[in-house]
Amino acid sequence: RGEGEDRPTRPVRTDSTNERPRVARGADVARQFRNRPTATPHSQTFAPSTLRPSAPRRIRYNGRMTLAFTLDPMSVTLVVALGLVAGVLGGMLGVGGSVIMIPGLAMIFDWGRTPQQHLYQAAAMIANVAVSVPATIRHARAGAIVPKALRWLLPGALACVLLGVWMSNLSAFEGRQGQTNLSRVFALLLVYVIYVNVRRLFRPRPGVPGAGSPMVGETADSKVTPGRSLTVGGVMGVIAGFLGVGGGAIAVPLQQLVLRLPLRSCIANSAAVICVSAGVGATYKNLTLDQHHDGPWDGVILALLLAPSCILGGYLGAILTHKLPNRQVRIAFICLMIVAAVKMAALPWGEWF
């Protein structure tokens, strides 16, 4: 239109350079200002509509890391204490720290929230690496590792830990109900741990496979073959990747049964495998946390809180093993595992915990 035609009735402003009138944008700016997202304290910004309605609120810290919960000082203290307890009990009773850490994290953070089983498993897998490295160094110095078995245990575990993580990320284990299903499968592992420890209350821990055989290394009864070792490593890797555990609770008895190795060598081999397999599985698991509405750094944050105190607890547990009555400690651990199994199974009375 020419300059003589009608103009909008809104206020106009004249440009000082060429005297050409243009419509003011004040109304548009005001409208955008009124429709802006409400400001939140601590510069928190929430994820847009990409989240499902049932998913917990995601919070961005310093524009970089997102957590599906708020880490207040009390939560941090409880997580650090949980790592210490897991390390002490693991060092005293020879159990994996994940069977304590994962239920403990659920008890700390899952009050009225969507279960975050994937996040807890991702954090526990990182902590397993930190705990198993110093243990493997001690076993290597003692000559307890069997290289012939480790040569085939490791490839089987590496391949199958990725398979296990992939299985845990299937659609059947997504969302609120899916993560509840995954925690119920984890409860079955706790039932197995309870069974093993109850059995040890009434039966002494088995020694070596054959009479007069050495405490470490291969024996005359050992059956270390590539096929047997790959099978044990594969079973260990699938369970470790699927449930976020180290896999030692399964690999140690399997090595005794299938490979016929002494107990100490079974423990040493498992620790050496966990150093690598847990690291690979943890990397894959944490990189896929986004599909479960958790940021890739969430598991790292929790692991950084768990690992130092868990390592310290492991050393304390090794010392307390010779000072505290093992039977009473095992009974207390069994009671703790029963509570954890009820919580992870999402039974009606599990809400009490």
Side-chain angles (χ1 to χ4, degrees):
R1 293 177 296 183
E3 292 189 4
E5 297 184 16
D6 293 337
R7 294 292 180 183
T9 57
R10 288 179 290 176
V12 297
R13 187 176 59 186
T14 303
D15 195 331
S16 58
T17 57
N18 54 13
E19 299 297 323
R20 185 176 181 179
R22 60 186 178 88
V23 178
R25 311 299 297 176
D28 296 332
V29 173
R31 188 180 302 107
Q32 294 174 6
F33 184 82
R34 287 194 303 270
N35 296 333
R36 78 192 189 285
T38 306
T40 55
H42 309 296
S43 300
Q44 298 174 353
T45 60
F46 301 97
S49 57
T50 55
L51 285 182
R52 300 178 181 177
S54 60
R57 188 173 63 178
R58 299 175 67 184
I59 303 174
R60 183 174 298 277
Y61 288 86
N62 300 325
R64 292 181 295 109
M65 301 179 183
T66 61
L67 288 175
F69 50 82
T70 303
L71 276 178
D72 52 61
M74 179 59 71
S75 299
V76 171
T77 303
L78 291 174
V79 172
V80 173
L82 174 63
L84 185 65
V85 172
V88 170
L89 291 177
M92 292 186 64
L93 303 177
V95 297
S98 292
V99 299
I100 302 171
M101 288 186 285
I102 293 177
L105 291 172
M107 293 180 184
I108 293 173
F109 294 114
D110 279 0
W111 285 90
R113 294 186 175 96
T114 299
Q116 301 176 87
Q117 182 73 10
H118 291 283
L119 175 59
Y120 306 149
Q121 292 184 188
M125 294 175 81
I126 299 176
N128 285 334
V129 177
V131 173
S132 61
V133 169
T136 301
I137 293 174
R138 293 196 299 269
H139 291 312
R141 290 175 178 173
I145 297 176
V146 181
K148 183 179 178 180
L150 187 63
R151 189 179 302 120
W152 296 103
L153 284 170
L154 192 54
L158 283 177
C160 291
V161 73
L162 296 175
L163 174 63
V165 174
W166 175 80
M167 291 170 56
S168 71
N169 289 334
L170 293 175
S171 58
F173 304 109
E174 290 184 354
R176 184 182 186 90
Q177 185 58 47
Q179 300 207 53
T180 300
N181 294 337
L182 187 59
S183 68
R184 285 173 174 166
V185 177
F186 189 88
L188 295 178
L189 175 66
L190 298 183
V191 172
Y192 167 76
V193 173
I194 292 170
Y195 163 75
V196 170
N197 282 272
V198 169
R199 186 179 178 185
R200 288 178 182 173
L201 279 177
F202 302 100
R203 295 179 59 182
R205 171 176 277 192
V208 295
S213 59
M215 293 298 291
V216 296
E218 288 189 76
T219 68
D221 296 333
S222 296
K223 299 180 180 179
V224 181
T225 64
R228 289 171 177 259
S229 301
L230 279 172
T231 301
V232 173
V235 174
M236 174 186 181
V238 169
I239 295 176
F242 185 66
L243 297 177
V245 298
I250 303 296
V252 169
L254 273 181
Q255 288 180 77
Q256 288 183 288
L257 178 65
V258 178
L259 305 183
R260 299 292 294 169
L261 290 174
L263 177 63
R264 291 186 182 179
S265 289
C266 296
I267 296 174
N269 292 338
S270 298
V273 171
I274 291 171
C275 285
V276 183
S277 64
V280 173
T283 302
Y284 181 22
K285 186 68 176 179
N286 281 271
L287 289 177
T288 57
L289 278 179
D290 185 64
Q291 73 183 75
H292 305 293
H293 314 303
D294 297 301
W297 290 101
D298 294 0
V300 177
I301 295 172
L302 282 181
L304 289 176
L305 296 175
L306 285 168
S309 58
C310 196
I311 295 173
L312 175 61
Y315 286 107
L316 293 178
I319 296 173
L320 294 176
T321 300
H322 307 286
K323 295 185 178 182
L324 294 180
N326 188 273
R327 182 179 180 85
Q328 282 71 18
V329 173
R330 192 175 296 278
I331 292 174
F333 173 74
I334 291 172
C335 295
L336 177 63
M337 287 295 96
I338 292 174
V339 172
V342 171
K343 173 66 177 178
M344 300 305 289
L347 297 176
W349 52 88
E351 297 299 325
W352 297 349
F353 313 113

